[in-house]
């Protein structure tokens, strides 16, 4: 079975500082990994994905994520946070050959001015 | 493309009433998913369709829930009878599955916020 863990309910960071939102996964076989962001009263927006190849994936709005197979992690990062990055972030995994996308519980990112 | 379109955006109904949520996937997408989001349980996959055929409905909580996809451009999620514990935000998502690949991302609608009183 697939599962995703986002160990932090909330991450607080000051504007301009680097941010990291953690994600670990469990899946049989090779994983497809995704990050989505949800703003208040909105749907989920796709940020980036890891399918294969380079372990560092770059996505929308300056976000990037690093796939680490040995640690089964896919942490989301940004070098310099913006107040407008404040939102709910979801990590998700899909196993190769399957269509079911399983989400973590979400991490609320709060960027203070 | 306008993206995944869900209606209504908000629904308030009384316990026992039938509720129907609607979804129009992105044109050309051949896979459709219904998710439910609550504070307690997060995002749960209820059911998904491939080429209009239900593939996995193991996430549907009870027989009160049913979903249909009569054609490639329309799906419904029905709750009959509704109960207060069904109150949640229901999301529809669609994805294009290309032959030989499985790496496309899903696109989500804005969601329907259901309140059952």
């Amino acid at each position: 079975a697939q599962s995703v863990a986002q160990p932090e309910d909330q991450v607080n960071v000051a504007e301009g500082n680097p941010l990291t939102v953690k994600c670990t996964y469990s899946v049989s076989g090779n994983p497809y990994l995704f990050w989505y962001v949800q703003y208040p009263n909105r749907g989920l927006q796709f940020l980036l994905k890891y399918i294969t190849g380079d372990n560092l994936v770059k996505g929308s709005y300056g976000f990037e994520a690093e796939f680490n197979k040995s640690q089964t992690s896919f942490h989301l990062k940004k070098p310099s946070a913006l107040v407008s990055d404040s939102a709910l972030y979801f990590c998700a995994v899909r196993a190769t050959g399957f269509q079911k996308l399983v989400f973590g519980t979400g991490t609320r990112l709060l960027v203070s001015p | 493309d306008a993206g995944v379109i869900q209606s209504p955006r908000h629904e308030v109904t009384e316990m026992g009433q039938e509720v129907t949520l609607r979804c129009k996937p992105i044109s050309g997408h051949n896979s459709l998913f219904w998710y439910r989001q609550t504070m307690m349980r997060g995002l749960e996959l209820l059911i998904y369709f491939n080429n209009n055929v239900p593939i996995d409905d193991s996430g549907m909580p009870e027989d009160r829930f049913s979903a249909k996809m009569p054609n490639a451009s329309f799906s419904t999620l029905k709750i009959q009878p509704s109960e207060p514990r069904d109150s949640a935000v229901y999301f529809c998502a669609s994805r294009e599955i290309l032959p030989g690949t499985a790496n496309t991302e899903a696109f989500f609608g804005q969601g329907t916020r259901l309140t059952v009183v």
Side-chain angles (χ1 to χ4, degrees), chain B residues 13 15 18 24 26 59 62 78 81 83 88 98 101 108 117:
Chain B
T13 191
M15 182 174 64
E18 177 180 296
K24 177 177 168 37
I26 292 173
E62 299 172 32
K78 184 179 294 185
E83 296 183 3
L98 303 172
T101 70
F108 282 74
V117 298

Side-chain angles (χ1 to χ4, degrees), chain A residues 32 34 36 38 40-46 48-52 88 90 92 94-106 108, chain B residues 9-10 31 33 35 37 39 41-43 45 48-50 55-56 58 89 91 95 97 101-111 113:
Chain A
Y32 297 137
F34 303 80
Y36 284 81
Q38 184 180 29
N41 300 314
R42 303 293 297 274
L44 278 72
Q45 296 177 33
F46 169 75
L48 53 79
K49 64 185 177 185
Y50 171 82
I51 303 300
T52 186
L88 189 57
F90 290 94
R94 189 169 71 229
T96 306
F98 292 86
Q99 292 196 44
K100 188 173 181 176
L101 187 61
V102 174
F103 285 86
T105 51
R108 187 164 301 280
Chain B
R9 289 294 308 276
H10 302 274
S31 192
F33 306 81
Y35 283 87
Q37 184 180 34
M39 289 292 292
R41 301 171 72 93
L43 271 165
L45 177 63
Y48 72 88
F49 296 82
N50 270 5
I55 302 301
D56 183 352
S58 59
V89 181
F91 287 104
R95 175 173 162 249
I97 299 176
T101 70
N103 59 0
T104 53
E105 62 270 20
F107 292 84
F108 282 74
Q110 300 274 45
R113 182 174 296 277

